[in-house]
RNA sequence: GCGCCGAUGGUCCAGUGGUAGGACUCGAGCUUCCCAAGCUCGUAGCCCGGGUUCAAUUCCCGGUCGGCGCACCA
């Protein structure tokens, strides 16, 4: 094994730049940190990863896919909590210029819990009162002002100062805010899911490590809306999937991973939310299929203090990359937090009508205050009195059953309201169902990190015929190309035959690349480096019997395939229906010279 | 944001106060003809701005970008 775990980030990044996976954007102008361009093969790889995700998490689950805007007006984020919770309070030591989160400093004294919600001035006075000093140089931070830093990119919508808006920090909010429409398309029925694949933006303080930590990323997020009382995931489908888990109790305890099946994790109470358990099972299988190394994948539960403001529980899928566990996806139980907030802040209704199995008949006390009487009598207080009556009938309908008048407090005074003025009645109503607020469980994937993971986990070096070789062991379902098509030599009419084959494959929708330049070995190596799983070579024997050699990237073995069968063979290799070994089992093997 | 280190062809590096060299890659040709062979030729570079200097890729200052550490990662 010549694989070397040293400096993998540097070597993968070098390969990525040289072969066109990704490179820093806007380089001719010096570039700005955290923005990357996907080159020709990188864009193809990323597109394939997105497509595999779409197939698994939207199509196969029967969910809808939408696209919402990336710019969202401020009120949405006021409701969602991002405006407050996405803002950090920052204080900088004037002596040594170290900056801190002001709320963390205050919390660190043990005097105040949860200082995050405080205002800048409140934090400043606390810092003064508690006489907090710089952890780094020890100088006092008294009298230093607290500034704010919001991780959302702000912008202005429309001319002039415009309406304040932000680039979305997650695709989720765009999906959740349009819940009322989505419910309509789901024909009012729970559970249903809506997915979105697209860009999200975070003004990271410190973008790092190539495309691992960026300011513009692509997310693939699924919002699953369900009734927590009734709806259950199809756990049976993933019950036997083995998960590498790192729950809170392990992180705080022995530090060991727990290897459990989905069923064991649910039954053992390790994973509380069954939907999260279901998606961890689905994701595990999917990660393995697209080329994440199973030995370098785990699911880590968020520690209580680590969770986002909207999450009741959260597990991250983490990949071991560059000597570190890096988050690839988050599986969050968002409860009804977001829907509740939008229900309250917006004009929309974020509830679902759940019919009962049988309609129920109930007696209900109601009031219908006679404003024609109350208005002239009480003037400005009339509206408050009406509200008080409505509140009273809900909390204590008996108050309307005794005597000819009810006594209520409104606008700071006590009033006696005649029973007939209240419009009090007890009616018999038939209720056919109730309005409930769905809960949301959200699998959210960072596509860029996943693409990087595939490169790093599948990067290998070996020796073929005495020459070192670098290759990417990408599964055929995600590799940028499925095959390279070559003439063995640039002579004897072979290029024409090879070109015709390439054209035919391209017409059949197969992503292939044609190359006739340089030595054949060099062409193989070039394809190895971009992860092309197969190469087809037209040689002199092709002219006699219409067969070509099919070379396997990982083993460098070759077999001969009938030219007419090539499109179907490649298609089944691409889709994963057939492995190279399976194809080779019924096919003539050939040696390095292409001979039987 | 802070600190340390770095930035030279497409890639990886060497080097210099008088505008640079190698390896690989890439292109043309010869040769070879199933795993980065060989030969010839060619294309192509000193991150940006300011300062010092007759002269700066080189020295100084600032910035940008990158790596690492700290902080941050809703």
């Amino acid at each position: 094994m010549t694989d070397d775990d040293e400096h993998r980030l540097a070597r993968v990044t070098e390969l990525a730049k040289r072969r066109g996976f990704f490179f820093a954007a806007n380089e001719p102008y010096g570039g700005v940190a955290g923005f990357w361009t996907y080159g020709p093969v990188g864009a193809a790889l990323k597109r394939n990863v997105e497509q595999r995700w779409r197939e698994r998490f939207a199509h196969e689950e029967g969910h809808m896919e939408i696209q919402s805007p990336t710019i969202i007006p401020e009120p949405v984020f006021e409701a969602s909590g991002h405006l407050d919770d996405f803002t950090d309070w920052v204080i900088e030591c004037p002596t040594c210029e170290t900056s801190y989160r002001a709320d963390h400093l205050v919390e660190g004294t043990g005097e105040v819990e949860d200082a995050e919600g405080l205002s800048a001035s409140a934090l400043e006075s606390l810092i003064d009162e508690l006489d907090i000093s710089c952890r780094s140089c020890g100088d006092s931070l008294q009298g230093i002002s607290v500034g704010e830093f919001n991780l959302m990119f702000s912008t202005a919508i429309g001319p002039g100062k415009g309406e304040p808006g932000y680039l979305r920090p997650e695709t989720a909010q765009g999906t959740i805010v349009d819940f009322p429409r989505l419910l309509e398309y789901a024909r009012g029925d729970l559970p249903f899911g809506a997915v979105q694949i697209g860009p999200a933006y975070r003004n990271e303080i410190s973008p790092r490590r190539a495309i691992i930590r960026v300011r513009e990323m692509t997310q693939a997020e699924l919002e699953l809306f369900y009734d927590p009382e009734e709806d259950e995931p199809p756990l049976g489908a993933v019950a036997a999937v083995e998960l590498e888990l790192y729950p809170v109790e392990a992180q705080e305890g022995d530090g060991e991973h727990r290897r459990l099946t989905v069923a064991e994790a649910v039954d053992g109470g390790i994973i509380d939310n069954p939907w999260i358990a279901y998606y961890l099972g689905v994701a595990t299988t999917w990660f393995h299929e697209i080329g994440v190394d199973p030995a370098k994948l785990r699911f880590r539960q968020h520690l209580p203090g680590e969770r986002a403001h909207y999450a009741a529980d959260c597990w991250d899928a983490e990949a071991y990359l560059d000597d570190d566990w890096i988050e690839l996806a988050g599986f969050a139980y968002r409860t009804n937090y977001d829907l509740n907030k939008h229900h309250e802040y917006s004009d929309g209704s974020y509830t679902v009508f759940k019919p009962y199995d049988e309609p129920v008949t109930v007696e209900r006390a109601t009031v219908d205050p006679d404003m024609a009487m109350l208005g002239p009598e009480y003037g400005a207080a009339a509206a408050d009195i009406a509200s008080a009556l409505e509140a009273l009938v809900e909390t204590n309908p008996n108050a309307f059953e005794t005597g000819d008048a009810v006594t209520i407090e409104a606008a700071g005074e006590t009033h006696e309201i005649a029973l007939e003025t209240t419009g009090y009645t007890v009616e018999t109503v038939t209720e056919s169902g109730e309005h409930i607020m769905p809960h949301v469980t959200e699998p959210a994937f960072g596509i860029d990190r996943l693409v990087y993971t595939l490169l790093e986990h599948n990067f290998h070096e070996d020796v073929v015929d005495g020459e070192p070789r670098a290759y990417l062991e990408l599964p055929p379902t995600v590799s940028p190309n499925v095959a390279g098509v070559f003439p063995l030599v640039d002579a004897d009419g072979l290029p024409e035959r090879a070109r015709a084959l390439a054209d035919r494959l391209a017409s059949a929708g197969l992503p292939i690349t044609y190359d006739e330049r340089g030595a054949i070995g060099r062409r193989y190596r070039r394809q190895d480096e971009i992860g092309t799983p197969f190469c087809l070579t037209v040689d002199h024997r092709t002219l006699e019997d219409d067969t070509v050699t099919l070379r396997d990237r990982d083993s460098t073995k070759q077999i001969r395939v009938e030219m007419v069968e090539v499109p179907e063979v490649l298609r089944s290799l691409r889709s994963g229906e057939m492995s190279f070994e399976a194809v080779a089992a019924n096919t003539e093997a050939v040696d390095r010279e292409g001979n039987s």
Side-chain angles (χ1 to χ4, degrees), chain A residues 12 110 139 192 216 398 432 525 530 577 579:
Chain A
V12 169
D139 275 19
F192 73 89
E216 174 174 330
N398 286 336
S432 53
R525 297 304 171 81
I530 62 172
E577 288 164 39
S579 65

Side-chain angles (χ1 to χ4, degrees), chain A residues 56 234-245 258-267 271 277-286 288 299:
Chain A
R56 185 61 192 88
L235 275 174
V238 296
V241 175
E242 291 203 330
L243 306 173
E244 189 82 8
L245 298 174
R258 311 276 189 262
R259 191 163 181 80
L260 300 169
T261 65
V262 173
E264 288 164 351
V266 172
D267 296 341
I271 304 174
Y278 172 68
Y279 289 122
L280 295 195
V282 172
T284 296
T285 306
W286 184 77
H288 295 173
F299 294 98

Side-chain angles (χ1 to χ4, degrees), chain A residues 363-371 374 382-401 404-408 417-429:
Chain A
E363 296 206 324
R364 188 162 54 199
T366 60
V367 292
D368 182 14
D370 186 350
M371 298 311 284
L374 292 176
D384 285 339
I385 290 169
S387 301
L389 287 169
E390 282 162 8
L392 182 62
V393 77
E394 287 200 11
T395 55
N396 183 19
N398 286 336
F400 294 83
E401 297 290 346
D404 295 335
V406 287
T407 308
I408 50 125
I417 308 296
L419 196 59
E420 59 177 13
T421 306
T422 67
Y424 173 77
T425 54
V426 176
E427 42 190 16
T428 303
V429 293

Side-chain angles (χ1 to χ4, degrees), chain A residues 40-236:
Chain A
V41 295
L45 172 60
K46 183 180 173 204
R47 201 163 55 235
N48 292 337
V49 169
E50 290 173 9
Q51 184 57 24
R52 298 291 89 77
W53 191 91
R54 173 178 287 116
E55 287 165 3
R56 185 61 192 88
F57 289 90
H59 298 173
E60 233 180 286
E61 296 290 314
H63 297 330
M64 52 181 113
E65 177 175 0
I66 66 165
Q67 286 191 6
S68 69
T70 52
I71 294 177
I72 298 181
E74 184 168 81
V76 174
F77 291 120
E78 276 171 12
S80 71
H82 285 88
L83 208 53
D84 289 336
D85 287 303
F86 226 79
T87 303
D88 292 335
W89 297 112
V90 180
I91 188 166
E92 186 177 290
C93 170
T95 311
C96 68
E97 294 184 321
T98 306
S99 56
Y100 300 97
R101 279 190 54 173
D103 49 324
H104 286 186
L105 284 182
V106 170
E107 286 167 11
T109 63
E111 297 290 321
V112 183
E113 280 179 32
D114 197 17
E116 202 179 331
L118 298 174
S119 68
S121 55
L123 286 167
E124 283 166 6
S125 8
L126 277 168
I127 286 167
D128 288 353
E129 280 169 33
L130 299 167
D131 190 19
I132 294 172
S133 52
C134 176
R135 283 183 211 164
S136 172
C137 70
D139 275 19
S140 173
L141 293 173
Q142 285 181 336
I144 308 303
S145 62
V146 169
E148 65 178 345
F149 182 78
N150 192 300
L151 264 70
M152 290 195 293
F153 282 99
S154 62
T155 188
I157 306 167
K161 284 181 70 180
E163 295 292 316
Y166 298 90
L167 274 67
R168 62 182 183 190
E170 54 171 11
T171 61
Q173 217 46 239
T175 305
I176 291 170
V177 80
D178 282 329
F179 172 81
R181 284 278 178 206
L182 301 179
L183 179 64
E184 240 179 278
Y185 302 132
R187 295 199 247 165
D189 226 8
L190 294 177
F192 73 89
V195 313
Q196 192 158 183
I197 302 173
Y201 303 83
R202 294 175 192 187
N203 202 359
E204 295 284 352
I205 297 171
S206 178
R208 283 286 164 88
R209 300 210 269 199
I211 57 174
I212 290 176
R213 186 135 153 228
V214 294
R215 290 187 165 127
E216 174 174 330
M217 71 189 105
T218 297
Q219 291 186 321
E221 298 193 303
L222 161 60
E223 310 304 317
L224 195 280
F225 302 97
Y226 61 98
D227 177 356
E229 302 285 317
E230 280 192 14
D231 297 328
E232 287 177 2
L235 275 174

Side-chain angles (χ1 to χ4, degrees), chain A residues 543-561:
Chain A
L543 303 176
E544 296 162 21
D545 66 3
D546 262 341
T547 61
V548 295
T549 62
L550 173 67
R551 170 193 182 263
D552 176 50
R553 172 196 62 206
D554 303 335
S555 64
T556 74
K557 285 180 183 158
Q558 294 191 103
I559 55 177
R560 285 206 84 89
V561 178

Side-chain angles (χ1 to χ4, degrees), chain A residues 533-544:
Chain A
F534 307 106
C535 288
L536 296 156
T537 302
V538 168
D539 57 13
H540 291 94
R541 186 172 149 187
T542 307
L543 303 176
E544 296 162 21

